[in-house]
């Protein structure tokens, strides 16, 4: 190998993309039960007496498990993995190259927060524009698990692709793409820019170094901020994808029938999922990249 690399930050862009997809897929597999509970909380509506079926993350998870079995908690996992292999590869793998591009090739020192934000918004928006079909199918599978077996719309992934195409054409795979782009651009920015900035700040204190402890602390903070910022658009995106209606219709119905505060319906599940997802993803990402560096790109001593 003609070029040697000293740290995981020096790895080639294509390696960063592959490791991003791997880390995203691992995090998706671990947190899909929380995500399923979150979707159920977001799409539920009050009954005639104004009562909700699900109450909080743990209650929702227990009820799904008790009534439908453990398999329902993993509905949409295959589509979720497909989504991460595309989406995470782009948004995570290209974040650092994009950030450095915004800084300029002659820039020296630590990138400013503004450039990190620009990079997060750009890679998040571009990534989900490409991966949106997998998101649509994942959400619909998670919702279908709430229905009796004979009323479920799709038998498997192939059946879902065929039916969506027949019913809505190619446009159906990008149902809700506008709120989805906004949601994922915002959350990607909150996750990656926050993680990057907090990690950098922690290392500067001298109390942390590039490793598991630093990654764990930085990713937990990034996950919480992403949940707070992204919750409203996440709920809107979920309902648009499931109900086949427009953004304005969904927002109007929520405000009119449920109240503005309902935009944060299911927040505990969403926050729990995003924080856990971030910890799993960033820790896995660091370890996979370290493995790649030590085994394929490490400079000779």
């Amino acid at each position: 190998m003609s070029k040697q690399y000293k740290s995981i930050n020096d790895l080639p862009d294509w390696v960063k993309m592959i490791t991003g997809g791997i880390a995203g897929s691992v995090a998706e597999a671990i947190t899909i039960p929380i995500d399923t509970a979150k979707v159920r909380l977001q799409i539920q509506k009050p009954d005639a007496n104004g009562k909700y079926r699900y109450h909080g993350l743990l209650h929702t998870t227990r009820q799904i498990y008790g009534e439908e079995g453990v398999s329902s908690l993993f509905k949409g996992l295959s589509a979720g993995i497909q989504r991460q292999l595309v989406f995470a590869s782009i948004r995570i793998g290209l974040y650092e190259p994009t950030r450095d591009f915004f800084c300029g090739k002659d820039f020296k020192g630590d990138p400013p927060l503004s450039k990190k934000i620009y990079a997060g918004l750009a890679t998040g928006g571009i990534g989900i524009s490409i991966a949106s079909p997998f998101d649509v199918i994942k959400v619909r599978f998670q919702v279908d698990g709430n229905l009796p077996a004979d009323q479920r719309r799709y038998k498997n992934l192939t059946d879902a692709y065929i039916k969506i195409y027949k019913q809505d054409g190619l446009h159906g795979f990008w149902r809700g793409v506008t709120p989805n782009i906004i949601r994922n651009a915002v959350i990607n920015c909150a996750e990656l820019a926050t993680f990057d900035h907090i990690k950098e700040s922690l290392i500067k204190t001298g109390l942390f170094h590039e490793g598991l402890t630093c990654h764990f602390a930085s990713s937990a903070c990034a996950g919480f901020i992403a949940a707070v910022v992204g919750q409203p658009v996440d709920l809107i995106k979920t309902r648009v994808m499931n109900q086949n209606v427009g953004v304005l219709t969904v927002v109007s119905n929520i405000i009119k029938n449920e109240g503005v505060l309902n935009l944060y319906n299911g927040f505990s599940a969403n926050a729990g999922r995003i924080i856990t997802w971030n910890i799993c993803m960033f820790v896995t990402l660091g370890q996979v990249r370290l493995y790649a560096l030590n085994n394929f790109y490490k400079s000779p001593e």
Side-chain angles (χ1 to χ4, degrees), residues 28-288:
E28 186 76 15
I30 293 173
T31 63
I32 190 71
I34 304 175
D35 193 44
T36 299
K38 178 209 73 174
V39 169
R40 296 288 184 89
L41 283 166
Q42 289 180 332
I43 65 168
Q44 71 172 336
K45 297 179 180 179
D47 60 20
N49 297 318
K51 295 182 179 180
Y52 288 94
R53 180 182 182 186
Y54 301 117
H55 306 281
L57 175 61
L58 293 178
H59 175 266
T60 305
T61 304
R62 285 199 304 266
Q63 193 153 334
I64 293 173
Y65 173 76
E67 295 177 354
E68 306 167 32
V70 67
S71 63
S72 283
L73 289 169
F74 289 86
K75 285 288 183 182
L77 178 58
S78 296
I81 295 295
Q82 290 180 357
R83 174 184 183 270
Q84 292 302 331
L85 289 174
V86 176
F87 180 47
S89 295
I90 295 172
R91 79 174 184 98
I92 297 171
L94 294 182
Y95 166 75
E96 290 176 6
T98 304
R99 178 200 64 194
D100 295 341
F101 170 80
F102 283 130
C103 289
K105 63 179 181 179
D106 297 325
F107 180 83
K108 302 294 182 182
D110 296 325
L113 180 59
S114 61
K115 305 302 182 183
K116 298 171 184 175
I117 291 174
Y118 298 155
L121 290 172
T123 57
I126 294 171
I128 202 58
S129 296
I130 298 172
S132 188
F134 308 117
D135 218 12
V136 171
I137 291 175
K138 174 189 169 185
V139 168
R140 293 194 182 185
F141 264 103
Q142 290 174 317
V143 173
D144 266 14
N146 194 33
L147 301 172
D150 60 341
Q151 296 180 23
R152 292 175 185 173
R153 293 171 287 185
Y154 313 114
K155 299 176 182 178
N156 49 52
L157 277 179
T158 302
D159 186 50
Y161 283 119
I162 293 173
K163 286 183 176 178
I164 291 174
Y165 178 73
K166 286 183 176 180
Q167 292 170 1
D168 303 314
L170 286 175
H171 174 72
F173 292 109
W174 276 268
R175 175 73 63 184
V177 69
T178 299
N180 209 15
I181 288 174
I182 296 172
R183 181 255 185 195
N184 283 282
V186 169
I187 290 182
N188 192 57
C189 172
E191 288 179 346
L192 297 184
T194 302
F195 174 84
D196 194 7
H197 206 68
I198 291 177
K199 183 186 75 170
E200 190 177 276
S201 299
L202 290 177
I203 292 174
K204 283 182 179 179
T205 66
L207 300 176
F208 293 85
H209 64 276
E210 189 85 45
L212 281 174
T213 304
C214 183
H215 290 174
F216 185 94
S218 302
S219 59
C221 293
F224 179 77
I225 293 174
V228 172
V229 173
Q231 167 72 16
V233 287
D234 185 55
L235 184 143
I236 293 168
K237 179 268 299 186
T238 298
R239 293 199 179 183
V240 170
M241 287 185 168
N242 180 57
Q243 297 173 6
N244 284 338
V245 294
V247 175
L248 294 180
T249 301
V250 169
V251 174
S252 176
N253 288 339
I254 291 174
I255 295 175
K256 180 180 177 181
N257 301 322
E258 305 170 47
V260 176
L261 291 179
N262 209 58
L263 287 170
Y264 277 87
N265 186 29
F267 176 74
S268 61
N270 194 32
R273 188 255 177 185
I274 291 181
I275 291 172
T276 304
W277 195 96
N278 272 265
I279 292 172
C280 293
M281 188 278 289
F282 280 116
V283 169
T284 301
L285 182 68
Q287 295 305 301
V288 172

